[in-house]
Amino acid sequence: MTTPFPFTAVVGQDDLRLALLLNAVSPAVGGVLVRGEKGTAKSTAVRALSALLPAVAVVPGCRFSCDPAAPDPQCPDGPHEAGGGTERAARMVELPVGASEDRLVGALDIERALAEGVKAFEPGLLADAHRGILYVDEVNLLHDHLVDLLLDAAAMGASYVEREGVSVRHAAKFLLVGTMNPEEGELRPQLLDRFGLTVEVAASREPDQRVEVVRRRLAYDDDPAAFAAKWAQEEAAVRQRIVAARELLPQVRLGDAALRQIAATCAAFEVDGMRADIVMARTATALAAWAGRTDVLAEDVRQAALLALPHRRRRNPFDAPGLDEDKLDETLEQYSGDDGDDDPDPDGPGGGGQPAPDSGPQGDGGEAARPEAGEGGQPQASGAGEQSAARATEPFRTKALTVPGIGEGAAGRRSRARTEHGRTTGARRPQGTLTKLHLAATVQAAAPYQRARGRSGPGLVVRRDDLRQATREGREGNLVLFVVDASGSMAARQRMGAVKGAVLSLLLDAYQRRDKVGLVTFRGTSAEVALPPTSSVDAAAARLESLPTGGRTPLAAGLLKAHEVLRVERLRDPARRPLVVVVTDGRATGGPEPVLLASRAAGLFAAEGAASVVVDCESGPVRLGLAGRLAADLGGTAVTLDELRADSIAGLVKGIQGRRAA
């Protein structure tokens, strides 16, 4: 067995270590989500924690780790008699990103269940993690349905496996720890809320601390056993402190004054629901027990807020997590007394929450550029025609843009796809392991052969060849590639602000639908990939915000660059279908025959059947209709900025599908 890196030898990362220890003291806190850049000891600290957990007593031979003092009456391996047991170390079970549903929750032998009427159940990772740690590295990359199953089990303390009326239930209580790199995509807000605590980690910028990190890691790699022995005393001390805190926890008193501070803090930061209040209360109680106290103090409430609220106060995926600590201190001070008669307004005049950032001027006053600035100027990207970045207008809810047809890409929420989850649409012979039985089709396949197989009793004689896999239809995530015109014809600040607002709205939609996104921009004499395809809409929003404008309009170069991006991405992920969103007024300038070149470049997308939408940004009383012509060349459809809004009357989705069908 590999010797884990000692928990106490981790340099820095105080918040991370504290959050993990609090969950070890009180698993009811609800787990930890660790967010941070790669190489910041996230996985090392989590794996090291398992060595600190006290040993657990289990019923001998039970695959579900039942407690001999209080065995689960519904255990599939039961019933067990209360009494003696054996001890084993607490487990840390790791859930791979690519795991199947059966690997997570367990699997039933459908063939034996139908033919013999027995529950032949093979436990999954949830059973292995019972009374231990379940660790999910890169939890933001885990398929949504697995995350839902995982968090449901964590909330209920049990796992349910059902296959066509055959059901198995077993206990599944574990410390849930997830790690993620925000650059690779975010978790949905409702899933963020299910983690009790969250911690942001980053590499230290202090040279001395970085030197110590390297020194300890090299020493561990040279001789893990000797390095662990060096820290054995500190590890034992922390292990004993966890045991003592667990024993003290039931005696900790959470007074009315602390409860009012918790409630006032959650109200001041406008968190949704009541889960934040409950998690803060449990965390503050665990902090007191960890400190060896039986009373919860204001400092416990403050620390609990810093761990439990940052991920719950986010209003959209582009908001940076965190708390205004000055506001937190003011709220705690306002409710520091235990006199409950007064009811001051914790939010002050105008309500609570973070103040809305000043939208600032739109730039259409003295700083406004001429509508055609840079169109006839120097072609260099850094020439006089370049304008500073305009600020995006307020985002809005967009209409649903979908890719026609049925795909087989990664699970998501945009376009129709054949998936493992969704509504049943038919049946087929299984290819490999049977995962979703189509009962009616299986019975229909087996029925004609019952007499030949010598059926004599009520049971159905089922052979392997009779089994039928259910085919299901759900939704997939797509690659949404934005091709944005940043030339001089788009450089009017008011117009570019509206364009950025539209793209930002589409990015929000892509976040909610679990898409990958990419960004290609063109201006001056060339196009560039501002952001290669990624799951991080945060990164796309940041690149969009700093996008400058000016120069000529090399539309053909932009389309050719986008076509190259799709070609490379198709090799990397052939199952993920693209949706190309071109944001432009349709003009093409610079070089010989720019309009003809743009038309030919657009024809490449039409020839390959790539779904596309042109967001027409043309404004003014005289409209040339160039964006509509570009959409026709692409084989897609054109939509104005107003029609892009979800409350618009225009039938955008029907338009896309109708044009593709034609």
Side-chain angles (χ1 to χ4, degrees):
M1 178 180 293
T2 304
T3 303
F5 192 91
F7 186 85
T8 51
V10 175
V11 179
Q13 308 298 13
D14 295 339
D15 287 343
L16 170 59
R17 292 191 294 170
L18 177 61
L20 292 172
L21 289 170
L22 292 177
N23 274 272
V25 171
S26 176
V29 167
V32 186
L33 176 64
V34 187
R35 297 164 42 93
E37 58 197 20
K38 53 187 176 293
T40 50
K42 301 189 299 293
S43 301
T44 299
V46 175
R47 293 188 174 97
L49 178 67
S50 61
L52 295 179
L53 296 182
V56 295
V58 297
V59 173
C62 178
R63 296 174 298 166
F64 301 89
S65 302
C66 281
D67 186 348
D72 181 7
Q74 300 182 55
C75 176
D77 283 357
H80 304 300
E81 294 184 1
T86 60
E87 282 196 347
R88 63 161 175 78
R91 293 174 179 160
M92 192 205 74
V93 177
E94 188 165 352
L95 173 62
V97 170
S100 65
E101 179 180 343
D102 287 344
R103 184 71 185 99
L104 176 62
V105 300
L108 290 171
D109 188 331
I110 301 297
E111 188 171 357
R112 289 189 62 191
L114 284 176
E116 304 174 27
V118 298
K119 295 180 180 179
F121 181 69
E122 184 66 28
L125 295 176
L126 291 180
D128 293 341
H130 180 45
R131 305 176 69 197
I133 300 173
L134 183 61
Y135 172 49
V136 189
D137 194 14
E138 306 294 353
V139 65
N140 52 322
L141 303 182
L142 200 64
H143 287 309
D144 285 353
H145 70 278
L146 292 182
V147 177
D148 292 339
L149 290 170
L150 180 65
L151 295 178
D152 284 344
M156 296 185 297
S159 175
Y160 295 85
V161 183
E162 298 185 4
R163 294 287 190 276
E164 305 295 344
V166 182
S167 176
V168 171
R169 173 228 172 258
H170 65 83
K173 297 180 179 179
F174 47 82
L175 166 56
L176 177 62
V177 182
T179 60
M180 60 175 284
N181 183 350
E183 294 179 356
E184 297 173 344
E186 285 284 359
L187 278 175
R188 304 196 314 266
Q190 59 268 40
L191 300 184
L192 275 172
D193 185 56
R194 296 294 291 272
F195 281 94
L197 310 180
T198 187
V199 178
E200 294 281 334
V201 297
S204 172
R205 297 297 182 258
E206 293 293 331
D208 291 343
Q209 195 171 73
R210 295 175 74 97
V211 166
E212 187 61 24
V213 169
V214 174
R215 181 181 290 118
R216 293 185 185 184
R217 186 68 212 191
L218 293 177
Y220 171 78
D221 291 341
D222 288 342
D223 192 341
F227 185 81
K230 179 180 177 181
W231 292 88
Q233 186 173 351
E234 288 83 351
E235 294 281 287
V238 173
R239 191 177 299 110
Q240 293 172 3
R241 188 175 176 184
I242 292 174
V243 173
R246 285 185 174 184
E247 295 174 351
L248 184 62
L249 187 64
Q251 306 172 36
V252 176
R253 188 181 71 89
L254 184 64
D256 289 343
L259 276 173
R260 283 178 62 81
Q261 286 184 318
I262 290 171
T265 301
C266 292
F269 286 99
E270 297 182 318
V271 295
D272 297 328
M274 295 298 298
R275 184 176 283 118
D277 304 62
I278 296 170
V279 171
M280 273 191 66
R282 290 172 174 167
T283 305
T285 303
L287 280 162
W290 178 248
R293 291 185 269 101
T294 56
D295 287 314
V296 174
L297 305 180
E299 62 194 62
D300 300 323
V301 176
R302 186 182 192 280
Q303 184 63 59
L306 293 174
L307 293 173
L309 296 188
H311 60 303
R312 292 187 166 89
R313 61 157 294 275
R314 303 182 74 186
R315 287 295 178 244
N316 65 63
F318 305 141
D319 289 339
L323 289 183
D324 182 341
E325 295 195 29
D326 291 337
K327 180 176 180 178
L328 174 61
D329 291 335
E330 290 175 6
T331 303
L332 294 176
E333 178 65 26
Q334 195 169 12
Y335 286 86
S336 60
D338 47 14
D339 180 9
D341 295 335
D342 56 345
D343 187 21
D345 179 9
D347 300 334
Q354 294 293 332
D358 183 7
S359 59
Q362 292 298 316
D364 54 352
E367 294 181 358
R370 293 175 298 174
E372 304 301 322
E375 194 65 49
Q378 296 298 321
Q380 288 83 2
S382 60
E386 179 177 316
Q387 304 295 324
S388 59
R391 299 187 65 179
T393 58
E394 189 69 20
F396 52 84
R397 189 166 63 92
T398 66
K399 281 189 174 294
L401 306 177
T402 61
V403 177
I406 301 179
E408 296 182 344
R413 289 197 173 90
R414 183 171 296 278
S415 304
R416 295 172 58 198
R418 286 180 286 270
T419 64
E420 288 295 321
H421 299 270
R423 63 184 180 89
T424 301
T425 58
R428 60 173 174 81
R429 290 182 180 273
Q431 299 172 351
T433 303
L434 178 72
T435 55
K436 296 290 183 181
L437 178 74
H438 195 294
L439 182 58
T442 298
V443 173
Q444 185 177 7
Y449 306 102
Q450 295 306 294
R451 180 176 298 179
R453 293 173 182 174
R455 175 184 172 184
S456 58
L460 189 68
V461 181
V462 180
R463 302 280 172 82
R464 177 70 186 175
D465 290 343
D466 301 328
L467 300 178
R468 294 295 182 268
Q469 174 85 23
T471 57
R472 300 185 178 229
E473 183 177 306
R475 293 279 169 176
E476 67 177 1
N478 298 110
L479 166 60
V480 182
L481 181 61
F482 294 95
V483 185
V484 180
D485 184 348
S487 66
S489 66
M490 303 282 290
R493 295 183 65 82
Q494 187 171 8
R495 189 195 311 181
M496 198 61 198
V499 168
K500 286 187 175 182
V503 178
L504 187 64
S505 303
L506 290 167
L507 283 171
L508 283 167
D509 182 68
Y511 164 78
Q512 294 164 353
R513 298 181 188 277
R514 310 295 287 174
D515 294 314
K516 291 181 72 173
V517 296
L519 179 62
V520 172
T521 64
F522 58 94
R523 66 190 183 96
T525 59
S526 62
E528 66 172 346
V529 181
L531 184 71
T534 176
S535 296
S536 175
V537 293
D538 284 350
R543 301 292 173 87
L544 178 70
E545 185 68 25
S546 60
L547 178 66
T549 59
R552 295 185 178 180
T553 313
L555 178 57
L559 295 174
L560 290 174
K561 181 67 72 173
H563 185 265
E564 175 65 16
V565 170
L566 293 187
R567 185 189 68 79
V568 174
E569 192 64 18
R570 196 176 294 117
L571 296 174
R572 294 175 177 169
D573 190 358
R576 189 180 291 269
R577 298 187 295 162
L579 174 63
V580 181
V581 180
V582 185
V583 185
T584 181
D585 57 8
R587 300 191 181 191
T589 62
E593 299 183 320
V595 176
L596 178 60
L597 290 175
S599 178
R600 289 177 177 174
L604 297 175
F605 294 89
E608 295 176 354
S612 60
V613 177
V614 177
V615 179
D616 185 358
C617 302
E618 191 174 26
S619 61
V622 179
R623 305 180 67 87
L624 303 178
L626 299 176
R629 297 179 198 173
L630 175 62
D633 291 336
L634 286 165
T637 189
V639 56
T640 66
L641 290 175
D642 289 337
E643 291 170 341
L644 189 62
R645 295 179 178 271
D647 53 2
S648 171
I649 301 176
L652 179 60
V653 177
K654 293 182 180 179
I656 297 173
Q657 294 176 339
R659 187 175 292 273
R660 290 287 299 127

